[in-house]
Each structure stands twice: as C-alpha cells, then as structure tokens.
C-alpha cells in the first residue's frame, strides 16, 4: 500500500486515523473498532462492508 495514500485516508465514519495491518490486508479504525479490507491494493472504505473488531483485537494492536 502506498504510504502517500495512507497519509490521506481517514475513517469514513469518524474521520479519524487508520492503522495499516499489512499481514491482514486491512486498515483499522481503533476508535470505531472497524477493519476495512484492502483488495488489489484498493481500500474498501464502505462502512457497511467493514469488519467489526472485538476488544481483544484492538488491545493486541
């Protein structure tokens, strides 16, 4: 994932910062506990397609 793109992207729900998890191919919003998939180097930033994270996942980041 391009670092310039990562600096521009924000959570579509809260507009907060995202954390890139390369091994999971996801962008994570810790505030909203959502994981946004990256497919073919394109982040899928749709709230209704985001994966909901549990507290254990957030704590382990």
């Amino acid at each position: 994932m391009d670092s310039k793109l990562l600096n521009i992207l924000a959570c579509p729900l809260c507009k907060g910062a995202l954390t890139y998890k390369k091994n999971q191919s996801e962008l994570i919003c810790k505030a909203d506990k959502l994981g946004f998939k990256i497919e073919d180097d394109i982040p899928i930033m749709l709230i209704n397609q985001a994966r909901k994270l549990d507290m254990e996942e957030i704590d382990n980041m």
Side-chain angles (χ1 to χ4, degrees):
M1 172 127 267
D2 184 11
S3 63
K4 290 179 185 177
L5 181 60
L6 288 174
N7 290 331
I8 296 170
L9 290 174
C11 174
L13 186 60
C14 71
K15 311 301 184 239
L18 297 168
T19 303
Y20 177 48
K21 295 297 179 184
K22 186 176 183 176
N23 59 342
Q24 295 172 328
S25 193
E26 273 187 322
L27 293 170
I28 305 296
C29 175
K30 290 181 182 180
D32 294 316
K33 300 177 188 73
L34 294 174
F36 299 95
K37 279 300 252 184
I38 300 171
E39 296 178 0
D40 298 322
D41 288 331
I42 301 169
I44 310 301
M45 303 299 291
L46 301 171
I47 296 167
N48 64 345
Q49 292 187 18
R51 181 173 72 91
K52 294 182 182 179
L53 307 173
D54 58 29
M55 283 306 294
E56 184 176 323
E57 283 183 280
I58 297 293
D59 291 340
N60 290 331
M61 290 184 189

